[in-house]
Amino acid sequence: MKWPRRRDRAGAPAADGSDGTPAGDVAADLAMAFSHVAADSSPEALRAVSPSVVLPPEAFAPLEDVEAVPGLTNLPSLPGVFVGRERELRLLVGALATEGPAPLLVVHGLGGVGKSTLAARVAALSVTRGDVVWWIHADTRQAIDAGLADFARALQPALAVLPADTLRARALQWLVSHSGWLLVLDDVTEPDDVRALFARLGTRGRMLVTTRRATGWHGTAAVDLRLAELDQASAVELFLRISATGDDSAFASAGVNTLCDELGRLPLAIAQAAAYCREAYVGAADYLQMLHEYPADMLRSFGEGWDSERTVGRVWQITLDRLAHFSPAVDVLRVLAWYAPTGIPRALTDELGRRPDITRALTGLAAHSLIILEDGLIRIHPLVQATARTPDASDPHRNPADIRRAHERAVDLLLASLPDDKSTGRESLAWWRTLVPHIDHLDTHTPQDLATLATAALRARTGEFHHAQGNVRRAVALLEHSVEDLRATVGNDAPDTLAVMNNLAGAYASAGDLSTAVRLYADVHRRQTNILGDDHPSTLVTAANLALAHQSLGDLHAALEAYQEILRKQRRVLGDDHPRTLVTRHNLAAAYAAVGDLQQAFSTYEQLLAAQRRILGPHHIQTLHTENNLASVLATAGDLTGARDRYTRLLVEQARMLGEEHPDTLATRGNLAYLHLMTGDLNEARESYGRVLDGQTRVLGDDDPRTLATLHNIGVAHLTTDPATAITLLERALTARKRVLGPDHPDTLTSLNSLALGCLSLDDAERALPLLQEVVDTRVRILGEQHTETLVAQHALAEALRRTGQPDRAAVVLAQSLQVAVHVLGGEHSVTRSLRAALSHVRGEG
């Protein structure tokens, strides 16, 4: 829609309801309000410019009678191409075409997000309608003055000899007396620079402002549009159109998608990368690798013909220059650069300085679109972060020493915010989950040369949290990094290094990588023996951990002998009643149970229980754990009534001491549900498991390993009466365990095995066979061929082979497993007997 052109004679009331002030006086008044006192543009003033200057007749014509050349414009040639932004384009074009008072349109956002490109697109559409469009780089008031003077020169080239102040006044007078124009003020720094101008000009034409200032426009702008990053499809299209590679292979497309994600779909960054790739003949994947390895260089890089002032690094340097008068703002940005881009708690910044100063810093950063403030949270573009944390000697805001200090501050703030080690309540877990993304982000982006004792401590504590929550893969990564930090700062043999190595070995064991766990435990034990001696309490703790790892690998008798030796030393060095001695007695009882000596296990547990009641008290959590293990031994021995009685008494005690929804109380309810399952009381088992699952979901969350274990157990409980429901539940548990724990975790393999057995129960041996083969292959790889769980999995695989008409292959698997079982477990172990019976059955069928 074309805007109507109007000319209002000086002194006549304006059709839009303005006060009818003579145009010449309006221009002078506006010039005074907008800048300093403007030059007089009256004919007399023009004659007095210089006696030697001969002005053409049009200089003396009323400005309201001066017609601009249709389509007069100075639109800049911006780099790149225009993609996407359909909604924003419709909004702005529609607002410009609206009848009524002329609007002020403001587009604000992060530097490089494409504000100028969008404004140029809107302006170009106005030019095609024949409108007068003038573009002014408006970062200062003086720049706006200069842009208006340039407009007057373009409007009447013969008057270009006039002083700049006079030309500016003439431009303002022309704009006041005409309509059908669009004035684009690009990169406005201060809203006040626009407000006075719009107050006079806004009723005649249209004004479109681009700015990094997100605030200061309320009540002035008809449209106040925050421009966000491109959507993924548009980001990829922008890269491909600029790079012009012509490579649409799946591999190349994946590389472009990954690069666009890494660049946060920021148009300037994508255009800069695409131009570089085009000129250097490199692909998106190559550029991304260089961005990771040489971030400072790549943020400055540009292709042939590219404006070096419009690189990502330079654009944001200019923004930070505008905040340089308040240094805390830049300091805060450097700290925020180490956290995850979204969901940063404002509470983390409270200790950065005086509260008013930090609040002012945050609001300043938000006003310049470098961050977004939400309800108690902060959001920041990932590429802003990457720039702010990348040292660059050529940028005063990215001095390496300042970045190092910011990193140290970011680490210290997180460390100080961690919940107490003993805090396990819901609020504590919720705060941990709030902090973890930011700790993980910092961990991922911390280079080795920034390693300190503080980074080691943060990584170690967070690794232990992940381990406790069952996220063992992330725990391993963080603890590995913590060990690297400690080796770099205090050395291989320092007590802190050895302690974290111990925790790392435990995380590997939980992840199912027992061979690595054994190697690490053995390394720590050797170092401690050399430094502290083999009787030192810390050395004995590591020896116990090593024994447990051997036990998990299936070397049960070696583990049993190790526990007996450790207990002998601890009784001599620490005494019978020392807590560590009690722990070893507990581990020894478990080892007896593992080798099948249930009588000795029960006796050892009973003696331990008596000691714990005397030393720790009957209600201590470790005492209650021993009560639970005694019940478990009874259940394993077949005394289900005795086990149920012990579990029932324990449940009453836990509910009274710990609460109905304490994880230990819920675990005991789960054990009782399991007994119901073993005794054939399936309805009671399912109902009990359902109550446990509800409680665990509320207290622990959907993804906690204990919650997933109960979901798995409910599936097992449905196998005999409702196989279809059972399969659905087991599939859910398997999917969740793979996602949370990883494909190699013992719990994941248990789910895989149970799902396969469920398929067997439905006579779907064809589906069960590959699942069981995967279980066997993984357990052989992780646990070895001699582990009890490997032997059990091979038994199930043989059954699937038999049911799919492959009895000969089944017999081979069973024969090999039986030979290993006799050697490792003995001829009378229950697993050995079961394998022997199965082999006999298969051979009989053959």
Side-chain angles (χ1 to χ4, degrees), residues 798-799 801-802 806-818 835 838-844 846:
E799 177 62 15
L801 288 169
R802 184 187 70 82
Q806 305 176 73
D808 293 339
R809 286 188 61 197
V812 170
V813 171
L814 289 169
Q816 292 174 344
S817 301
L818 178 59
L835 288 168
L839 179 59
S840 177
H841 180 66
V842 169
R843 284 174 172 170

Side-chain angles (χ1 to χ4, degrees), residues 424 426 429 433 661-663 666 694-701:
T424 56
R426 294 180 66 177
L429 289 175
R433 287 167 182 151
E661 292 197 334
H662 188 279
L666 294 171
D694 289 342
Q696 288 174 326
T697 301
R698 284 193 303 274
V699 175
L700 304 173

Side-chain angles (χ1 to χ4, degrees), residues 79 275 278-279 302-308:
R278 182 189 64 227
E279 296 298 328
F302 49 90
E304 186 70 27
W306 187 271
D307 181 3
S308 62

Side-chain angles (χ1 to χ4, degrees), residues 608-668:
L608 172 62
L609 181 61
Q612 288 174 323
R613 285 173 173 167
R614 173 175 54 82
I615 300 165
L616 305 176
H619 309 308
H620 193 279
I621 194 166
Q622 292 182 16
T623 307
L624 298 179
H625 284 169
T626 302
E627 291 271 15
N628 178 79
N629 291 339
L630 267 169
S632 177
V633 169
L634 288 174
T636 304
D639 185 359
L640 302 184
T641 301
R644 181 183 292 108
D645 291 343
R646 279 192 174 272
Y647 278 136
T648 302
R649 291 196 302 270
L650 174 61
L651 182 61
V652 171
E653 186 68 15
Q654 287 175 322
R656 186 172 65 85
M657 297 302 302
L658 305 176
E660 290 284 352
E661 292 197 334
H662 188 279
D664 287 353
T665 308
L666 294 171
T668 301

Side-chain angles (χ1 to χ4, degrees), residues 11 90 101 132 199 201 235 244 324 332 431 455 527 594 623 642 691 715 728 839:
R90 285 196 303 270
V132 172
L201 303 185
V332 169
W431 183 239
T455 60
R527 294 177 186 275
T623 307
R691 290 193 295 270
T728 300
L839 179 59

Side-chain angles (χ1 to χ4, degrees), residues 412-650:
D412 290 342
L413 290 174
L414 288 170
L415 262 178
S417 299
L418 295 183
D420 185 87
D421 286 338
K422 297 180 180 178
S423 301
T424 56
R426 294 180 66 177
E427 290 185 4
S428 173
L429 289 175
W431 183 239
W432 259 114
R433 287 167 182 151
T434 297
L435 295 179
V436 156
H438 307 295
I439 298 170
D440 286 350
H441 190 272
L442 184 144
D443 168 69
T444 301
H445 292 90
T446 294
Q448 189 57 46
D449 63 341
L450 293 185
T452 63
L453 286 175
T455 60
L458 180 65
R459 286 164 157 166
R461 286 197 58 190
T462 310
E464 290 160 14
F465 170 78
H466 279 301
H467 191 183
Q469 294 298 301
N471 189 1
V472 289
R473 288 180 296 174
R474 191 69 193 118
V476 164
L478 281 162
L479 291 169
E480 285 273 20
H481 294 163
S482 179
V483 169
E484 291 170 4
D485 291 349
L486 290 165
R487 284 173 173 163
T489 53
V490 295
N492 283 340
D493 295 334
D496 287 344
T497 307
L498 297 177
V500 177
M501 285 178 67
N502 241 321
N503 293 336
L504 173 60
Y508 270 116
S510 296
D513 190 350
L514 294 165
S515 59
T516 300
V518 166
R519 177 179 56 78
L520 282 170
Y521 279 135
D523 186 22
V524 174
H525 186 258
R526 178 181 56 79
R527 294 177 186 275
Q528 288 175 326
T529 300
N530 292 338
I531 298 168
L532 305 173
D534 61 358
D535 287 348
H536 191 278
S538 296
T539 308
L540 294 175
V541 168
T542 304
N545 291 336
L546 180 58
L548 181 60
H550 279 298
Q551 180 177 333
S552 300
L553 274 171
D555 195 354
L556 304 179
H557 294 286
L560 184 61
E561 292 175 3
Y563 283 132
Q564 291 168 338
E565 178 63 16
I566 293 166
L567 182 59
R568 182 186 63 79
K569 290 180 179 180
Q570 285 178 327
R571 280 175 164 157
R572 175 169 53 81
V573 175
L574 303 175
D576 274 345
D577 295 344
H578 193 279
R580 290 180 179 173
T581 308
L582 297 178
V583 170
T584 301
R585 292 172 68 179
H586 180 279
N587 292 339
L588 179 60
Y592 281 126
V595 299
D597 192 346
L598 299 180
Q599 182 176 354
Q600 187 62 46
F602 188 84
S603 173
T604 305
Y605 273 133
E606 277 199 317
Q607 294 171 24
L608 172 62
L609 181 61
Q612 288 174 323
R613 285 173 173 167
R614 173 175 54 82
I615 300 165
L616 305 176
H619 309 308
H620 193 279
I621 194 166
Q622 292 182 16
T623 307
L624 298 179
H625 284 169
T626 302
E627 291 271 15
N628 178 79
N629 291 339
L630 267 169
S632 177
V633 169
L634 288 174
T636 304
D639 185 359
L640 302 184
T641 301
R644 181 183 292 108
D645 291 343
R646 279 192 174 272
Y647 278 136
T648 302
R649 291 196 302 270
L650 174 61

